[in-house]
Amino acid sequence: MIKIRSAEILSVGTELLLGDIVNTDSAFISRRLAALGINQYYQGVVGDNPERLESALSLSLSRSDLVILTGGLGPTYDDLTKETAARLMGRSMYLHEESLQRMMARFEKRGLTMTENNKKQAYMPEGAIVFKNDYGTAPGLAMEDEEKGKIIIMLPGPPRECEPLFSEQVEPYLRGFSDRVFFSKTVNIFGMGESRVESILREEMLGASNPTVAPYAKDGEVQLRVTASGKSEAECVEMCDREIEKIKATEVGGFIYGVDAGSLEDALVAELIRQNKKIACAESCTGGYVAKRITNVSGSSAVLDGSIVTYANRVKEKFVGVSHETLEAHGAVSRETAIEMARGVKELFGADIGISTTGVAGPTGGTPEKPVGRVYVGVVCDGYEEVRELNIGNGLQTREYVRYVSASNALDLARRAITK
């Protein structure tokens, strides 16, 4: 049996090289390979040129047991991934009748005429394992070379096809090459930087071999991926849980907002639903970003009746009851304004929790007293009130970053308020 010790991702498409399309396939597949316990040391992108593709694929096969190609499986003349890979492995192409019939049925169901060039997608290298594509017309496939101990997997490029096809068919296929089970849990951390997390957990991370603990930084957040290997998933889950309890017992524990929580907004909405509570937002500098992230979560209609963007001072006064005296004395960017906004929006919508954001998103508008990145986030809940002052970045952060991190802090503050 072929032993997969390392994998490599090779994305095909001139549009990727030109930056016309962001390559999200590689990020998704990388995460899934890590969860399967398959090491990955290289990634590459190559344009729609058969000579350069063959050269890149040859290099990948020389150093990796598994090469996953994405893109280049379409019906047009420049979609040559299958043909190039087949030639490199000495395979001829043949018409895979089942793929052709599935493709014809898909076109018929949608009331479209299938053109002759679409048949190209149904041609497969001899001996290929075909993965049915329920999300598009191009099937995925795998070619195994037992003698050389190599596997090439080819997947369609569009993420809406690539991701479910990988999850539903490629992952089970790859698990067949290992007698071990790999399982991961993600610890979600907010409010503590990556360097601080690493300094606290450094010895634990260096000493952990099974399970392993690996940090990943996101905008304003840190994730720890805890991955165990064992004979069964239950064994792996138990090992991961023990390691996570060790992490929770450190200073980091106070900044963990969930395990496999997904995102701050996922965690907040889940807790609001659990407690049967409603939330409302009054936003200035974030311009509706907090409400947007809440409504990104399915089921958020159960916890959010409405929110309001109070950008101008007169709107703050009129709709959420910020007093004219407060604005005159302290300005819109202040603790006092933030807490009055939170009180006012809670009352306006009859919510259990009111949250607010007001600040200087930049890149203009800052002053020595209130520089770009100075933001106040307020929360009012069940007699509890708090304002968090943020000083985001060093003046080099983008407007989008300031707004995103401000919204993250609002979500985190609201979550903490209802779990106190």
Side-chain angles (χ1 to χ4, degrees):
M1 186 177 75
I2 297 172
K3 185 175 179 60
I4 301 175
R5 292 156 298 200
S6 64
E8 187 164 339
I9 301 170
L10 187 58
S11 302
V12 183
T14 302
E15 67 278 10
L16 297 172
L17 287 174
L18 296 175
D20 292 335
I21 295 178
V22 177
N23 186 4
T24 60
D25 288 343
S26 290
F28 173 80
I29 295 171
S30 294
R31 290 192 296 270
R32 301 316 305 155
L33 288 175
L36 289 166
I38 297 175
N39 296 320
Q40 183 191 176
Y41 304 119
Y42 302 97
Q43 284 186 15
V45 179
V46 62
D48 298 301
N49 178 283
E51 289 76 24
R52 287 192 285 274
L53 173 56
E54 184 169 343
S55 175
L57 182 53
S58 296
L59 176 61
S60 296
L61 288 169
S62 72
R63 61 195 181 191
S64 302
D65 306 308
L66 167 66
V67 180
I68 300 176
L69 294 149
T70 62
L73 301 182
T76 60
Y77 73 93
D78 59 346
D79 290 312
L80 298 169
T81 296
K82 280 185 299 187
E83 292 80 357
T84 304
R87 184 171 62 251
L88 190 60
M89 295 191 80
R91 310 280 182 93
S92 58
M93 302 290 290
Y94 78 102
L95 181 62
H96 188 252
E97 190 63 35
E98 182 182 348
S99 292
L100 178 62
Q101 293 303 318
R102 285 174 59 84
M103 193 183 307
M104 291 170 64
R106 184 178 180 85
F107 274 91
E108 184 178 351
K109 183 177 181 180
R110 299 175 65 189
L112 301 173
T113 302
M114 191 178 90
T115 56
E116 188 66 24
N117 60 351
N118 279 112
K119 286 186 178 180
K120 179 175 180 293
Q121 295 179 293
Y123 277 84
M124 299 291 162
E126 291 286 349
I129 298 161
V130 179
F131 301 123
K132 299 174 184 178
N133 184 356
D134 294 324
Y135 307 92
T137 55
L141 64 143
M143 286 195 295
E144 300 176 5
D145 188 327
E146 290 277 357
E147 184 179 342
K148 295 181 180 178
K150 305 290 182 180
I151 301 173
I152 299 175
I153 292 176
M154 288 165 268
L155 298 170
R160 67 180 183 278
E161 300 177 40
C162 180
E163 293 184 12
L165 204 157
F166 188 93
S167 298
E168 295 168 10
Q169 297 188 60
V170 177
E171 281 194 51
Y173 165 77
L174 290 174
R175 288 194 189 101
F177 291 90
S178 175
D179 58 357
R180 304 286 288 175
V181 172
F182 291 87
F183 184 86
S184 296
K185 286 193 173 187
T186 299
V187 180
N188 305 98
I189 300 165
F190 184 82
M192 179 179 281
E194 183 184 22
S195 59
R196 180 62 179 153
V197 171
E198 198 272 346
S199 68
I200 295 170
L201 299 177
R202 180 175 177 79
E203 295 304 317
E204 183 67 29
M205 289 191 289
L206 289 175
S209 58
N210 189 26
T212 59
V213 181
Y216 300 89
K218 298 174 65 179
D219 283 347
E221 293 190 43
V222 179
Q223 293 181 341
L224 298 175
R225 179 169 292 129
V226 181
T227 303
S229 169
K231 295 180 180 179
S232 68
E233 183 173 304
E235 180 186 359
C236 294
V237 169
E238 186 178 344
M239 286 191 286
C240 287
D241 288 343
R242 283 200 302 266
E243 185 63 36
I244 290 169
E245 287 306 310
K246 291 181 185 178
I247 294 169
K248 286 181 176 179
T250 70
E251 184 184 344
V252 174
F255 297 87
I256 294 173
Y257 68 83
V259 176
D260 292 330
S263 66
L264 282 162
E265 50 266 37
D266 286 319
L268 174 60
V269 170
E271 187 61 26
L272 287 167
I273 290 173
R274 190 185 72 80
Q275 295 191 26
N276 192 30
K277 288 185 176 180
K278 298 272 191 176
I279 192 169
C281 322
E283 302 184 57
S284 187
C285 63
T286 49
Y289 214 149
V290 180
K292 174 196 178 296
R293 287 177 60 179
I294 290 172
T295 56
N296 282 345
V297 181
S298 178
S300 57
S301 59
V303 300
L304 180 72
D305 287 338
S307 288
I308 185 170
V309 176
T310 56
Y311 218 59
N313 282 359
R314 62 179 179 81
V315 178
K316 291 179 176 68
E317 291 185 45
K318 182 176 180 179
F319 291 99
V320 292
V322 178
S323 73
H324 185 76
E325 292 73 21
T326 295
L327 291 168
E328 284 290 316
H330 303 284
V333 182
S334 65
R335 290 179 174 275
E336 292 78 7
T337 296
I339 203 65
E340 288 189 23
M341 288 172 64
R343 290 172 189 155
V345 77
K346 178 178 180 294
E347 182 178 346
L348 176 66
F349 289 102
D352 300 291
I353 308 111
I355 54 176
S356 65
T357 61
T358 181
V360 186
T364 59
T367 66
E369 294 77 25
K370 296 178 182 180
V372 171
R374 173 71 57 78
V375 178
Y376 293 95
V377 178
V379 63
V380 174
C381 172
D382 296 331
Y384 172 82
E385 296 186 352
E386 184 180 347
V387 176
R388 183 180 291 177
E389 180 183 302
L390 309 176
N391 292 285
I392 303 168
N394 53 8
L396 300 178
Q397 304 292 3
T398 64
R399 181 179 180 86
E400 176 65 14
Y401 181 85
V402 172
R403 284 156 47 87
Y404 182 85
V405 174
S406 298
S408 294
N409 273 274
L411 296 166
D412 180 64
L413 196 60
R415 182 193 63 82
R416 286 177 178 274
I418 62 174
T419 53
K420 283 188 176 295

